[in-house]
Amino acid sequence: MNTASLAPLAVVLPVLGAALAFILIRHQRSQRVVSIGVLSVTLLLEVVLLSSVWNSGAQAVNLGAWLPPFGITMVVDQFSALMLVVSSAISLSVLIFAAGQGMADGDEDGPISIFHPTYLILVAGVSNAFLAGDLFNLYVGFEILLTASYVLMTLGGTTPRIRAGVTYVVVSVVSSLLFLISIAMIYAATGTVNMADLALKLGDLDPAVQLMLHLMLLVAFGIKAAVFPLSFWLPDSYPTAPAPVTAVFAGLLTKVGVYAMVRTETLLFPGDRINTLLMVVAGLTMLVGILGALAQTDIKRMLSFTLVSHIGYMVFGLAVASVLGIGSAVFYVVHHITVQTSLFMVTGLIERRGGTANMDRLGGLAKLSPLLAVLYFIPAINLAGIPPFSGFLGKLGLMQAGVELGTPLAYILVAAGAATSLLTLLVMARVWNRAFWRTPEDAVHPDPILLATSGDGSRLRNSENVSEHSTGRFSGRDTVDLLPRTMVYPTVGLVALGVALTLAAGPLFSLSDGAARDLLDRTPYIEAVLGEGAAE
């Protein structure tokens, strides 16, 4: 049996799970069981798909027995299968974190919730985008995940979330409209939207028409991936959402845009016509993003700017357009999804434990919660690229690819990457020094939560002054309850996964290099969809 025939289940299972979770909408415990169970099964399925394509190469399945280029095709190769596994692992970790937060807050009798069905729809949209073998199905995947993200971002209906949601919706609609117009123009010019078929037909178009279509798709995906100067919307949108939602958004949504950029640049528009432009964009994204992070006092906003900054590393690898460059970019995507998500989850714990995510109001967390300090420190130095962690290995591969290219712009980009890494370390160190190392009394505006526990660290005092605090129900509870095990365990697991990427760097780099070779060759993808000899 062709293992790719199981690929549609990566989309179907979350959709069916969402339907069942919606039926159980008044029974949150049952919702949690269904959602976690469905994502666990989906993850196991995707591991099987990754194992299959790692050994046998790209595979395709035609839905409804409609042959390409007319039917809907789903394609599983090393790149898409790896993205599926990582995205589902991250989604499962964040879902367990969110379920733990609900149990810790005693939401069993709370209002009707649509979080679980919406979350599963988001996962289905992400999976559909990774598997899409044609541009229109890729568009559908984007719309599914974006529709779900609109709901998740505005959960709670607070004024800041509604305001941020409006900005997010407007920007997303504009990028989707541009993507849809691009698809219509590509179909008008070639008569197809199947990506394998387009790989053969786009080369016959007039170069000026090719360039116009190329740039339109690049801008549409650039908005979704949040590359400079199209990243203005992200720092104001993500930090306002609930902690689990911010974590999964930071880990996955921009990476779907990066995936689309890598897929279309290598498959549909091979060559180096706009590589110089991509290098300039990559350098500006890295530097502008990290300089923005330096100016922040809120940890969520700071991490949002670092998220933008490190997208530049991925565009850097794509612009180099060598096996080492794209392979290192694929490795860095996996690293960044894991580490960035874990940092946002840790920030959710900081906000819960300290009462705020504002560094001016934090202090003494290393003494009050050593475990929280460790959970922050490990992914922070990983993101900064300290040896021997995976962040260092990915950046080293990217810089080596830039040096091998040997152009003046490539050397400038290598220097920009090194500077961004050092500035990231500075940003991470500022959070450590302010939130963890200094005493609460040294904070500019110390939070009552921390001052109340800075003495013996055993129980909140003056609970009447800090009850109904902005981040939770703290009144009269032991401080250990502020870090519920149901939230700590998934965070520990994700931090451990980030460390495991370092320990498994050899096999992961081997897989990433194999994916890069197939992406640059194009033949395995085209022949998996259209049959042997089609690429010729």
Side-chain angles (χ1 to χ4, degrees):
M1 182 184 73
N2 184 2
T3 311
S5 60
L6 300 174
L9 291 176
V11 180
V12 172
L13 286 177
V15 172
L16 294 178
L20 183 55
F22 190 78
I23 293 172
L24 299 170
I25 201 166
R26 295 182 184 271
H27 306 278
Q28 292 194 18
R29 180 174 297 177
S30 300
Q31 276 192 325
R32 286 195 286 264
V33 172
V34 168
S35 301
I36 293 173
V38 165
L39 275 188
S40 299
V41 173
T42 303
L43 177 58
L44 291 175
L45 167 71
E46 291 164 353
V47 170
V48 172
L49 290 174
L50 177 60
S51 176
S52 176
V53 297
W54 196 346
N55 295 321
S56 58
Q59 303 173 27
V61 57
N62 302 309
L63 303 187
W66 286 85
L67 296 179
F70 306 106
I72 297 175
T73 302
M74 288 187 169
V75 185
V76 187
D77 61 1
Q78 294 183 59
F79 186 31
S80 60
L82 179 61
M83 295 297 290
L84 283 173
V85 170
V86 175
S87 65
S88 290
I90 297 304
S91 301
L92 180 59
S93 298
V94 175
L95 180 61
I96 296 172
F97 180 91
Q101 185 177 27
M103 290 188 289
D105 289 341
D107 287 340
E108 292 296 328
D109 298 321
I112 295 175
S113 172
I114 58 171
F115 172 79
H116 289 275
T118 307
Y119 190 90
L120 289 174
I121 291 296
L122 176 77
V123 174
V126 171
S127 298
N128 188 73
F130 290 149
L131 290 169
D134 63 81
L135 289 177
F136 189 76
N137 199 29
L138 178 61
Y139 169 80
V140 170
F142 272 118
E143 292 308 295
I144 292 172
L145 69 91
L146 288 173
T147 302
S149 67
Y150 302 153
V151 178
L152 293 173
M153 179 168 287
T154 55
L155 285 177
T158 62
T159 300
R161 289 177 185 174
I162 296 298
R163 184 183 298 113
V166 169
T167 302
Y168 181 74
V169 168
V170 170
V171 172
S172 298
V173 168
V174 169
S175 66
S176 296
L177 182 61
L178 181 58
F179 186 17
L180 190 60
I181 293 172
S182 303
I183 293 173
M185 296 180 67
I186 288 173
Y187 184 78
T190 63
T192 183
V193 292
N194 183 282
M195 287 195 280
D197 200 27
L198 282 172
L200 303 177
K201 294 181 176 179
L202 281 172
D204 296 332
L205 298 179
D206 181 88
V209 176
Q210 286 186 52
L211 182 61
M212 178 187 67
L213 299 175
H214 190 175
L215 292 176
M216 289 181 66
L217 282 179
L218 189 64
V219 171
F221 295 145
I223 296 174
K224 298 179 185 298
V227 299
F228 182 83
L230 307 173
S231 57
F232 61 91
W233 57 271
L234 191 149
D236 291 327
S237 299
Y238 283 11
T240 61
V245 175
T246 304
V248 77
F249 280 14
L252 293 184
L253 296 197
T254 54
K255 307 310 182 300
V256 180
V258 172
Y259 170 87
M261 288 178 66
V262 173
R263 179 67 73 189
T264 54
E265 287 296 313
T266 55
L267 182 63
L268 304 186
F269 304 103
D272 58 358
R273 292 188 66 184
I274 65 166
N275 283 11
T276 298
L277 173 63
L278 287 175
M279 286 189 179
V280 172
V281 167
L284 291 175
T285 301
M286 286 189 284
L287 294 175
V288 173
I290 201 61
L291 291 175
L294 281 170
Q296 306 306 312
T297 58
D298 184 86
I299 300 176
K300 282 185 176 180
R301 281 185 61 83
M302 179 272 292
L303 288 176
S304 297
F305 275 100
T306 62
L307 168 61
V308 171
S309 175
H310 286 242
I311 295 294
Y313 285 105
M314 306 164 203
V315 180
F316 177 13
L318 177 61
V320 173
S322 65
V323 171
L324 179 58
I326 294 181
S328 298
V330 171
F331 180 92
Y332 201 81
V333 168
V334 175
H335 149 81
H336 194 259
I337 289 175
T338 306
V339 172
Q340 192 80 43
T341 305
S342 63
L343 280 170
F344 272 101
M345 289 170 66
V346 170
T347 304
L349 294 178
I350 291 174
E351 197 170 29
R352 189 179 184 89
R353 181 62 184 82
T356 181
N358 191 313
M359 288 185 282
D360 287 341
R361 300 174 65 88
L362 289 170
L365 289 177
K367 179 180 178 180
L368 295 176
S369 181
L371 174 60
L372 186 56
V374 172
L375 290 178
Y376 170 80
F377 184 78
I378 293 175
I381 62 175
N382 197 345
L383 185 69
I386 300 299
F389 287 101
S390 56
F392 169 76
L393 299 175
K395 291 172 184 174
L396 183 63
L398 290 168
M399 293 179 185
Q400 184 179 348
V403 170
E404 288 183 358
L405 183 60
T407 64
L409 187 55
Y411 283 118
I412 292 174
L413 211 53
V414 169
T420 300
S421 188
L422 292 174
L423 291 174
T424 302
L425 178 60
L426 176 60
V427 168
M428 297 295 108
R430 286 177 69 240
V431 177
W432 175 263
N433 290 336
R434 294 188 181 188
F436 291 92
W437 203 246
R438 69 181 176 184
T439 63
E441 291 79 7
D442 291 335
V444 178
H445 304 290
D447 197 278
I449 293 288
L450 292 172
L451 291 178
T453 58
S454 61
D456 58 13
S458 61
R459 181 178 292 275
L460 289 171
R461 296 188 294 275
N462 302 320
S463 60
E464 67 276 6
N465 295 327
V466 296
S467 62
E468 300 300 326
H469 198 269
S470 59
T471 58
R473 307 172 182 89
F474 294 109
S475 177
R477 296 194 305 166
D478 289 342
T479 57
V480 70
D481 291 337
L482 297 179
L483 290 181
R485 285 175 291 181
T486 51
M487 297 173 67
V488 171
Y489 288 162
T491 307
V492 171
L494 198 55
V495 171
L497 179 59
V499 176
L501 294 180
T502 303
L503 301 177
L508 183 56
F509 256 119
S510 176
L511 178 59
S512 300
D513 286 344
R517 290 189 182 91
D518 287 350
L519 286 168
L520 291 172
D521 184 11
R522 304 197 304 162
T523 299
Y525 188 100
I526 295 172
E527 293 189 345
V529 176
L530 301 178
E532 293 186 8
E536 299 177 1

